[in-house]
Amino acid sequence: MEKLPKSIVPIIIVVIIGIIFISNSTVNISSGEAGVLFKRFGGGVVTDEPPLSEGFHIVAPWNDVFVYEVRQQTIDEKMTVLSSNGLDIKLDATIWFEPDYDRLGLLHKERGEDYIRRLIQPAVRSATRTVVGRYKPEELYAQKRESIQKEMYEETEQLLRDQYVLVNRILVRDVSLPPTIKTAIERKLKQEQESLEYQYRLEKAEKEKQRQRIEAEGKAAANEILSASLTDKILREKGIQATLELSNSSNSKVIVIGSGDEGLPVILGNN
């Protein structure tokens, strides 16, 4: 194999150096990510400029770029914490979070790439201990899950304020009590439900009794008013009307014109 001409060797060396230079100077930021620029000879981590966005970037080869996921992320936490009376409560929760995009440089500089383990998980666990520690087991069992979630979120948000991360929501998937406590609470709730049902029946019976009494009093008052309005003349007039109706009936055969005991006509005869 013939040796390369001496004039070509420098060109090859320059090309190789150029390839190395370019390969070390290009950064590709994928979808849902952002880059923090570290200037080795320019002040370290860049915090006063926006992070590198998605796409292709060229940087000096002596600088570094640290890539972070900036879309919403999820952590699942299984924790055992104490209630207000010292019993173990197992709680499963999901945390939705994301880095503060505009302060990503500060997050990298002051908290580091392992910010989930250093910041978010300890804050969520502390908030959970605080919230659960306010309640007795029976209160946790009956408490609406949305209320516990809200309190945990508020406590976590307070702890992570000015920590360059955003907690979007905390979801409580399950709250598990000791089996003996759970059984006792379920038994107590069942008894309370039966007591409420019995009370409801008593109230319903009392209301029905009141309704019947009011109805009877109304009928008695109506009869009293009716009796007071029925004079002898009115009764005689009603009797005459009834007699006329009977006279027109197909069952009437003989009508005797005269007076009965009350001065009314007497009708005799039928089919």
Side-chain angles (χ1 to χ4, degrees), residues 81-90 132-143 148 175-186 188-189:
V81 292
L82 298 179
S83 63
S84 62
N85 56 359
L87 293 176
D88 288 339
I89 306 297
K90 294 182 179 180
V132 174
R134 297 170 183 163
Y135 297 98
K136 295 179 180 179
E138 56 269 23
E139 293 173 332
L140 288 170
Y141 189 85
Q143 189 81 357
I148 300 175
V175 178
S176 299
L177 307 180
T180 54
I181 300 299
K182 182 178 180 181
T183 301
I185 292 174
E186 289 177 345
K188 180 181 178 182
L189 291 175

Side-chain angles (χ1 to χ4, degrees), residues 7-266:
S7 59
I8 298 179
V9 173
I11 298 175
I12 295 176
I13 294 174
V14 170
V15 171
I16 293 174
I17 294 174
I19 293 174
I20 295 174
F21 182 85
I22 293 174
S23 64
N24 291 332
S25 301
T26 60
V27 176
N28 183 47
I29 307 296
S30 300
S31 176
E33 296 178 341
V36 175
L37 180 62
F38 176 80
K39 294 183 177 180
R40 196 172 304 278
F41 305 109
V45 178
V46 176
T47 60
D48 56 353
E49 298 178 8
L52 300 179
S53 59
E54 301 173 2
F56 184 80
H57 300 270
I58 297 177
V59 298
W62 51 83
N63 293 336
D64 294 323
V65 174
F66 298 88
V67 179
Y68 282 79
E69 184 176 2
V70 293
R71 61 167 65 93
Q72 179 172 276
Q73 303 167 59
T74 299
I75 300 175
D76 292 330
E77 283 288 317
K78 294 180 180 292
M79 298 164 281
T80 300
V81 292
L82 298 179
S83 63
S84 62
N85 56 359
L87 293 176
D88 288 339
I89 306 297
K90 294 182 179 180
L91 187 143
D92 294 349
T94 296
I95 302 92
W96 292 349
F97 72 96
E98 60 188 84
D100 187 341
Y101 184 89
D102 294 330
R103 300 193 291 175
L104 192 60
L106 290 170
L107 175 65
H108 178 74
K109 181 177 181 179
E110 299 182 14
R111 302 296 179 260
E113 296 177 277
D114 197 19
Y115 70 93
I116 295 176
R117 182 181 63 83
R118 292 179 177 180
L119 287 179
I120 298 179
Q121 289 178 326
V124 171
R125 292 167 184 169
S126 176
T128 303
R129 287 193 296 269
T130 300
V131 172
V132 174
R134 297 170 183 163
Y135 297 98
K136 295 179 180 179
E138 56 269 23
E139 293 173 332
L140 288 170
Y141 189 85
Q143 189 81 357
K144 292 183 179 179
R145 188 167 298 180
E146 290 77 8
S147 299
I148 300 175
Q149 292 178 168
K150 182 180 178 181
E151 291 186 40
M152 289 177 59
Y153 171 77
E154 291 173 350
E155 290 286 341
T156 304
E157 188 181 39
Q158 181 67 28
L159 291 172
L160 293 177
R161 184 167 296 173
D162 297 326
Q163 297 296 323
Y164 319 121
V165 293
L166 305 174
V167 176
N168 298 331
R169 192 173 181 184
I170 294 180
L171 306 174
V172 176
R173 301 193 308 272
D174 184 48
V175 178
S176 299
L177 307 180
T180 54
I181 300 299
K182 182 178 180 181
T183 301
I185 292 174
E186 289 177 345
R187 186 184 303 114
K188 180 181 178 182
L189 291 175
K190 182 179 180 181
Q191 291 173 351
E192 291 177 352
Q193 185 64 32
E194 291 175 349
S195 176
L196 290 174
E197 184 178 357
Y198 179 71
Q199 183 66 28
Y200 170 76
R201 291 179 180 177
L202 290 179
E203 292 177 357
K204 185 177 180 180
E206 181 62 26
K207 289 180 180 179
E208 179 63 19
K209 182 179 178 181
Q210 292 178 1
R211 186 193 66 78
Q212 293 177 355
R213 182 172 65 251
I214 292 172
E215 184 179 355
E217 290 174 353
K219 289 182 178 179
N223 290 334
E224 184 177 351
I225 294 172
L226 181 61
S227 297
S229 64
L230 293 177
T231 62
D232 292 342
K233 290 182 179 181
I234 292 176
L235 290 174
R236 187 175 297 109
E237 182 180 354
K238 294 292 185 181
I240 293 172
Q241 291 177 354
T243 302
L244 292 175
E245 291 177 358
L246 287 173
S247 65
N248 294 325
S249 173
S250 59
N251 293 329
S252 299
K253 297 302 182 179
V254 179
I255 300 177
V256 178
I257 304 300
S259 297
D261 294 337
E262 300 297 330
L264 297 176
V266 177

